[in-house]
Amino acid sequence: MRSHDTAAPAPGGQHHGGTTMSREGHQGDAAPAGDLAPEDAPARAPEVAHAHPAAALRKAAVGRRGTADPVRALMHRHRELCERAVDPLEIAAGLEAHGVTDRTAARYRHRDVFSLAEELFARVPAVAGEPAATGPAPARDVTTRAAWSLRALLPGAACLATLVALGLTDGVLGGDARLAIGSAGALLALTGLVLTLRTGPLSARPGAGSSGAAALCACWLLGYVVYGDDLLHQVLSGGPEGPWTLTPAPLLGLAVAVAPAAWCAHLFALHAHRRLHGSHALDEFGAGARPLLFGVVAFFACALAALLYLARLGFGTGGSPAGAAALGMLLLLARLLTVHGFPEPAATGLAAACAMEAAAPALILAGRLPGLDAVARPVRALVEAAGPGVVPVLACGTAALGLLITAVLALSRASAHAAP
C-alpha cells in the first residue's frame, strides 16, 4: 500500500509546503459522478483521509474548478501513469516528459506541474498490485554500496597488477608467458568493467543500455589512448611500419578512475533525487540540479587528473595525459546520460570523437595520393605545432563539451530522475 503525508490543494491551485492530498480524501468529493469508481480501487492513504472534511474538500474543488473540470481530459489521457505512480513526483516527472510545463499547468488552473500532479494523484485511484518491497533504501544500504564499490575497483586493480607483473617478469619469462599474463589481466579488467556497468550507479535503466556501436566506439577511443600517438607518428613519417609502442600509463589512470566515476554517479543521483522531493516547481528543481551536475563533473576531473599523474610517475611518461583526461570526461558524461535514460546522445558523442580520431591518420594517408596533398596539410600543421597528443584532446574534448551541454539540458529535468 503506497501512502504519504498529504494536504488538500488550496483554491486556485495553490501549493502549500510541497505536501499532497491523498487520493482517497479527494476523489470522494472532487471527482464528478461517473468519472471513476473509487470504491472498486484500493485506497492510497486511508490514514490521512479523516484530515480532510468533506465540506472543505467540496469548497476547495468548486473554488478551483467551478462547474467545468479542465483536469479531467488530462486525467484520462495520462490515467495509466497516474494509476501506477507511487507519489505525485512521479506523475510530475511523467507529465514533464510528455511536454507539460509550468506554463501549460496554468491552463488547468494550477500554479505549476507539481500542484497539477498532486491533484491527479489524489483523484486517480491506484491499481491493485503486489505490495512494494520494504527493504532498506539503496542510498543507505552500506552492504550494497560496498559491493558495487569493490566491483568498480576491479578494473583498476586488474590493470595495476598486470602492469606490475609484466614489469617484474621483463627479461625473465618468454614472450608467450608474458602474453598470457597480459591477456589474463585484460580479461579480468574487462570483466570488472562489465560488472560495474551492469550493476550499481553506473548501470542503465532497463531497456536503455548502451548500444553495440557505442561500445565499439569506446573500445576504439581506449585503444587510441594506448597506441594512437605512435600510430600517428609512424603515419606522418611514411609508415605505418609497426609494431606500435604501448603507452600503458593513461589506460591505468582511466581504469582506476572507474571507481570515482561510480561514486560521482551515485552522489549525483542521490542528491538529485533528494532535491526532486524537496522542490515545488520544475524550474526550482532545474536550478538546483545544474550546479550539482557541474560539481560532480569538477570533482571527477580533479580525481582523474590526480590518478593520471600518479600513473605517469609509476609507469612512464608515454601517451597524452591531456587526451586521456578528455576521454575520461567524455566517458563519464556519456555514462551519466545513458544511466538517466539518454543513450542516443551519449552514443552520438562517442561516435563523433571516434570519427575525429580516425580522420587524422586517414587524412594523412589520403594526402599521399596525387593531387590530394592539401588534405593532409591541416593535420600535419596541427601535429607539428602541438604534437600527436593534440588529436585526442580535440576529438574527445569537443565531444565532451557537447555532451556536457546536453547533460545540463537533459539531467536538469525531473523526468530524468524519476523511477523507470
Side-chain angles (χ1 to χ4, degrees), residues 33 60 68 78 80 99 119 173 193 201 210 222 227 235 270 284 314 319 365 372 381 401 403 412:
H78 301 284
E80 183 178 357
E119 178 172 354
L173 297 178
L193 181 60
S210 300
L222 291 172
Y227 296 106
V235 171
L270 177 64
E284 178 185 348
L365 292 174
L372 294 180
L401 180 60
L403 288 190
S412 60

Side-chain angles (χ1 to χ4, degrees), residues 40-70:
D40 298 331
R44 292 233 175 175
E47 71 275 8
V48 296
H50 67 277
H52 305 285
L57 283 175
R58 188 178 301 107
K59 180 179 179 181
V62 174
R64 180 174 63 255
R65 295 189 297 273
T67 57
D69 189 359

Side-chain angles (χ1 to χ4, degrees), residues 95-405:
L95 293 176
E96 183 201 37
H98 285 87
V100 179
T101 63
D102 290 339
R103 182 174 298 181
T104 308
R107 301 207 313 257
Y108 300 97
R109 302 177 186 177
H110 281 270
R111 183 183 65 184
D112 50 47
V113 176
F114 279 71
S115 176
L116 177 61
E118 288 177 355
E119 178 172 354
L120 292 173
F121 184 79
R123 293 180 62 181
V124 180
V127 295
E130 297 180 359
T134 57
R140 299 178 180 274
D141 191 345
V142 177
T143 303
T144 301
R145 285 184 295 182
W148 59 253
S149 296
L150 290 176
R151 288 192 293 268
L153 288 171
L154 185 57
C159 284
L160 179 61
T162 302
L163 292 177
V164 171
L166 290 176
L168 294 176
T169 58
D170 188 15
V172 177
L173 297 178
D176 293 340
R178 289 170 56 81
L179 179 61
I181 293 175
S183 300
L187 181 60
L188 183 60
L190 181 61
T191 302
L193 181 60
V194 171
L195 291 176
T196 302
L197 296 182
R198 290 187 176 181
T199 57
L202 291 179
S203 60
R205 294 180 179 180
S210 300
S211 63
L216 289 176
C217 290
C219 291
W220 166 274
L221 295 171
L222 291 172
Y224 195 94
V225 165
V226 179
Y227 296 106
D229 287 359
D230 194 47
L231 168 64
L232 190 59
H233 178 74
Q234 290 189 18
V235 171
L236 287 170
S237 61
E241 300 171 353
W244 305 319
T245 304
L246 175 69
T247 53
L251 184 62
L252 174 61
L254 290 172
V256 179
V258 173
W263 270 99
C264 286
H266 169 71
L267 293 175
F268 177 70
L270 177 64
H271 289 283
H273 187 70
R274 290 177 178 175
R275 187 170 293 277
L276 177 62
H277 280 266
S279 300
H280 308 301
L282 298 178
D283 291 340
E284 178 185 348
F285 171 75
R290 284 186 287 270
L292 178 62
L293 175 63
F294 286 126
V296 166
V297 171
F299 175 80
F300 178 75
C302 295
L304 178 61
L307 292 174
L308 289 173
Y309 176 74
L310 293 176
R312 284 173 64 84
L313 288 180
F315 296 93
T317 58
S320 172
L327 174 58
M329 300 303 299
L330 174 61
L331 294 176
L332 173 70
L333 291 168
R335 198 60 197 175
L336 283 178
L337 287 169
T338 302
V339 166
H340 292 279
F342 300 93
E344 293 82 6
T348 302
L350 294 175
C354 183
M356 284 187 280
E357 287 187 350
L363 289 176
I364 296 175
L365 292 174
R368 298 177 184 178
L369 299 176
L372 294 180
D373 182 66
V375 174
R377 287 177 185 172
V379 180
R380 290 181 179 275
L382 188 64
V383 173
E384 290 176 358
V390 71
V391 173
V393 171
L394 289 179
C396 297
T398 303
L401 180 60
L403 288 190
L404 178 60
I405 296 174

